[in-house]
Amino acid sequence: MAESEATAATPVEEESGAIATVRVLLPLPLAEAYDYAVPEGMDLAPGSYVEVPLGRLRRVGVVWGPGSGQVARARLKPVAHRFDLPPLPEVARSFTDRVARYTLSPPGAVLRMTLSSTGALEPPKPITAYRRADLPPEGAKLSAARRRVLAVLADGPPRLPAELAREAGCGAGVIKGMAEAGLLEVVLLPGFDPVPQPDLARPRAVLGETQREAADRLIDAVADGGYSTTLLDGVTGSGKTEVYFEAVAAALAAGRQVLVLLPEIALSAHWLDRFAARFGVRPTEWHSELNSTQRRRNWRAVAFGEARVVVGARSALFLPYPDLGLIVVDEEHESAFKQEDGVVYQARDMAVLRGHLGGFPVVLASATPSLETLANVEAGRYAALELPSRHGTARLPAVSAIDMRRESPPRGRFLSPTLREAVVETLAAGDQAMLFLNRRGYAPLTLCRHCGHRLECPHCTAWLVEHRLAGRLECHHCGHRAPLPKACPSCQAEGSFAACGPGVERIAEEVDATLPEARWQIVASDTFSGPQAIADLTADLDSGAVNLLIGTQILAKGHNFPGLTLVGVVDADLGLAGGDLRAAERTWQLLHQVGGRAGRGEKPGRVLLQSFMPDHPVMQTLVVDDRDGFLASEAEARRSRGLPPYGKLVALIVSGPDRGAVDRVSQDLGRAAPQGDGLMVLGPADAPLAMLRGRHRRRLLLKADRRITVQPLVAEWVSRVQVPGTVRVQVDIDPYSFL
């Protein structure tokens, strides 16, 4: 819905002469909106942002529609305040309701993601600046400092007090005194700078024939209007970003807003540079690294339609766009698009829903599409465009597997002789290399050599990971931190702890000891935060200050390091363990993506996979580059067992601080489980993480035929069981995590 349409929405009215009532949805885990009276003279439209009393407090909410009439008018409390903002569009309110129904979440909990910056509802306070007075008082004393201030302001715009004092080389007291003396006049500047607008006249990138054909198809989808979802399926380095930039330009030319979702903020540094090169400005960002001022500014820019292009993490999907006309989900296969806490949702799937409700195109881009997306392509629900080769002269890297059963490194080392020699050769040639291990810290397990005691998190069923560079042990599930104890808590032996297994810090230690020519840098989520860190790393690679990267999955996708010609995967088998139904798919995607960092420049690249299972289908298909073969066999395995995307799963996670209460609720849910053809309930059973953040956890899993609508079944199932306030039952439709 366009902003003009939203602003012109019909006020909520009742019978002539009666005081209007409205339903207001609050951003709280409440199942329904509450009725309020509308004070005389206050015009409210559906979607209006308001402040209402709730108990002794006042809460921000959104008018959801006319009052229900279930509460006597005389008993209703009045709306306290209406914010001067464009109403939340009808399509956004419908999206909130649909997400709530699909995820079995309270609508207010979904609305909370839209109202995540309540400070943005009020306009920013104007900023005080100074300029020279038009009519300065006669006879005013002009010291040397005052003359310098006037000289700074002679030809320039109004200046902020601190800026003016700095440029004039004086103190703040001088500025204040000049204002009191009438030598300076106060100018109130807008609280936020205007949002720079993309320049559509800038030169386009030079596209190859296949790229141009794909771009034209996406442009046509935007021009035709209406909903569609298209998979942009291109190998790493094939120019997918430049292709969908053409669709972005088409949507902007039509006066629509655009949203680009990225799975991780670290991916955005290179993306932001490419966007600025194409459109002359940076887009509006939305992610957890923004400070409160940036969040308020960007939220208002979206709500008023000033932010034409938004790039962000999954939460950006719920911003109050008045005229959204295109969504791009980059790296659509990434599990990071699944929200696991609060409202549990898959942002890729909800983006498709948002496009369907808004009647506009959605583009899903990936070099390793998810089976869910491919199944929708196969069923004809999504269109598909292919980019089968890299852009320009770059070629895909050659992939080889190193059989670690036959080529074991020396004791206490983790790099095979073949991989070590490949790194030496690469660095000697003046090229860059990457060692990939998807494990942060120094070692995943620390145990006592004397008694075998393992250091565990006191709040979770998890081992503590040693972070030697930071000098601490850390739980990667709850964040608990502690120093390494001097003595074993079990047997009191001192100095008996041994680090077991490698993390990236331990690989760096080995590199430091055996590869003196390496100028290495560890890149992991706990050492690199935000786009600027990746931008600085790119600069170090370009300057030669760094020639060897040692990193986790933060390096696996979205980055372009032209000088990188070798990728070595230290433990290629790491993701294949456990009971995750997507383990093979995720491992294949991750290794394919990280291997795709090699050879993106003029020189060819190569990938070496250290594996104790080199005959595993994942390793074999990577070596021979048989993507279609792997996906076909994986799809058939899922189809034969009725697993997603060819069947449905719903997880119920029961948690609480009292183990007995959790067990009782779990057992009651097990006894009340739905039955029928095409249904199977597994559990209750201990979750693999049987305790998380001090809460005991049990799991039940509903397996259903694809044709069954599971939400009503699950809602009725949970309603049959009395759940005490200390116990939480979380519903996860189509779970991605099985911990």
Side-chain angles (χ1 to χ4, degrees), residues 149-269:
V149 171
L150 294 175
V152 170
L153 291 172
D155 300 317
R159 304 295 181 93
L160 301 180
E163 177 189 5
L164 184 54
R166 183 175 63 253
E167 293 192 23
C170 65
V174 173
I175 308 299
K176 182 179 179 181
M178 293 179 70
E180 293 173 349
L183 292 168
L184 301 179
E185 292 181 351
V186 172
V187 178
L188 296 180
L189 301 178
F192 295 143
D193 294 332
V195 177
Q197 298 301 305
D199 181 3
L200 301 184
R202 290 175 66 88
R204 300 179 177 182
V206 178
L207 302 180
E209 181 179 354
T210 304
Q211 292 174 314
R212 172 48 58 194
E213 291 175 357
D216 288 343
R217 290 274 299 277
L218 295 181
I219 292 171
D220 289 342
V222 173
D224 292 343
Y227 161 74
S228 64
T229 294
T230 302
L231 168 64
L232 183 58
D233 181 0
V235 299
T236 54
S238 60
K240 294 184 294 296
T241 304
E242 296 297 341
V243 168
Y244 71 65
F245 274 175
E246 296 299 290
V248 171
L252 293 174
R256 309 297 298 276
Q257 290 175 294
V258 176
L259 168 63
V260 180
L261 293 177
L262 299 177
E264 296 188 33
I265 300 311
L267 299 181
S268 65

Side-chain angles (χ1 to χ4, degrees), residues 645-730:
Y646 308 103
K648 294 183 179 180
L649 291 179
V650 180
L652 267 58
I653 302 96
V654 185
S655 65
D658 184 335
R659 180 173 181 172
V662 170
D663 285 339
R664 284 192 295 274
V665 172
S666 302
Q667 292 162 6
D668 289 346
L669 284 168
R671 285 189 287 267
Q675 299 179 357
D677 293 340
L679 295 175
M680 177 186 297
V681 174
L682 306 174
D686 285 353
L689 279 175
M691 179 176 283
L692 180 64
R693 302 183 185 94
R695 297 176 66 87
H696 298 276
R697 303 171 75 243
R698 305 292 179 268
R699 289 179 62 96
L700 297 96
L701 193 65
L702 170 67
K703 183 172 177 285
D705 186 273
R706 186 70 184 171
R707 298 165 295 180
I708 296 175
T709 302
V710 295
Q711 283 83 356
L713 284 173
V714 175
E716 183 183 358
W717 178 14
V718 175
S719 70
R720 296 178 196 155
V721 174
Q722 186 174 0
V723 181
T726 59
V727 176
R728 179 187 179 194
V729 178
Q730 182 185 54

